[in-house]
Amino acid sequence: MIPTREQALELVKKYNKEESHIHHAIAVENTMRHFAEIYNEDPDLWGVVGLLHDIDWEQTTETPEKHCHVAPEMLKGVDDNIIRAVQSHGFGICTDVEPQTNLEKTLFTVDELTGLIITAGLVRPSKSLADLELKSVKKKWKDKAFARGVNREIIKQGAEKMNMPLDDVITETIKALRPVEKLIGM
């Protein structure tokens, strides 16, 4: 079964109570939808995967090595390709499920990147993404103390997997997040 957006959001909210986790799911959902259109793929499917990608996050915060391993049980009955995509975003961190499809490679990349971009927007005087530019994100990228939890190496590897220049991935992610900044807590 491929859940609708509403069903996917309901599942996310069933297992994740922290508002910041819901905001992250929506940020990744909208970024995935944006890239689906670039790749001429199904934005509804990509959006659902973006919503569901961290479904087991709150259950595995104390045991991060189990992240992506609890998700299949929570997603029982959901299409195997969605479950595989969810697991692949933890490649090299908590799973050995390597991203293969454009959908999986994009999820692997933008999961981390959305956090960096949102944080970069929040520290601007406008506290918005409306005036956030690539050069500002790249400046923050170089500052290892900024958004310390964001693994920049994963983003770089992901852009390579996507066969897209890192600057383009960052620019497109900014574009994807602008329309939903209010929904993601900005």
Side-chain angles (χ1 to χ4, degrees):
M1 177 220 13
I2 297 175
T4 64
R5 181 195 189 272
E6 293 73 27
Q7 291 168 326
L9 186 57
E10 196 175 300
L11 267 174
V12 170
K13 289 180 176 181
K14 176 180 177 181
Y15 294 109
N16 291 272
K17 305 304 178 197
E18 292 290 327
E19 190 174 42
S20 63
H21 299 152
I22 306 301
H23 289 163
H24 173 67
I26 293 169
V28 175
E29 170 202 12
N30 281 280
T31 304
M32 292 295 291
R33 288 178 154 281
H34 180 83
F35 278 96
E37 293 189 11
I38 291 171
Y39 283 110
N40 201 26
E41 299 272 357
D42 180 358
D44 292 331
L45 173 63
W46 283 45
V48 164
V49 170
L51 273 174
L52 294 174
H53 83 282
D54 272 346
I55 193 160
D56 67 3
W57 181 253
E58 287 186 17
Q59 285 68 38
T60 60
T61 52
E62 298 296 317
T63 53
E65 70 279 2
K66 292 184 179 178
H67 178 47
C68 300
H69 296 278
V70 177
E73 186 62 33
M74 296 172 163
L75 296 172
K76 207 173 219 85
V78 171
D79 184 273
D80 289 342
N81 292 321
I82 292 174
I83 294 170
R84 187 191 188 304
V86 166
Q87 290 184 300
S88 75
H89 91 275
F91 178 67
I93 303 165
C94 55
T95 77
D96 59 358
V97 180
E98 186 169 0
Q100 299 294 326
T101 64
N102 287 336
L103 183 154
E104 293 171 353
K105 292 172 186 177
T106 302
L107 179 62
F108 176 79
T109 308
V110 304
D111 179 33
E112 291 285 316
L113 183 55
T114 56
L116 179 72
I117 289 172
I118 291 166
T119 305
L122 288 171
V123 299
R124 297 187 66 71
S126 65
K127 299 210 182 310
S128 174
L129 300 173
D131 59 351
L132 181 66
E133 300 292 333
L134 171 64
K135 66 181 180 177
S136 298
V137 175
K138 294 207 56 175
K139 184 177 179 183
K140 296 295 185 189
W141 177 285
K142 293 176 187 170
D143 179 358
K144 300 303 179 201
F146 181 80
R148 184 181 318 251
V150 173
N151 188 326
R152 288 146 172 86
E153 191 55 39
I154 286 177
I155 299 168
K156 284 187 347 190
Q157 288 173 15
E160 289 171 14
K161 287 179 183 296
M162 292 171 70
N163 290 318
M164 188 178 286
L166 178 60
D167 287 3
D168 292 355
V169 175
I170 293 170
T171 299
E172 292 301 328
T173 302
I174 294 168
K175 287 182 195 174
L177 292 171
R178 281 182 179 150
V180 295
E181 67 179 3
K182 297 289 185 241
L183 292 174
I184 59 176
M186 296 189 73

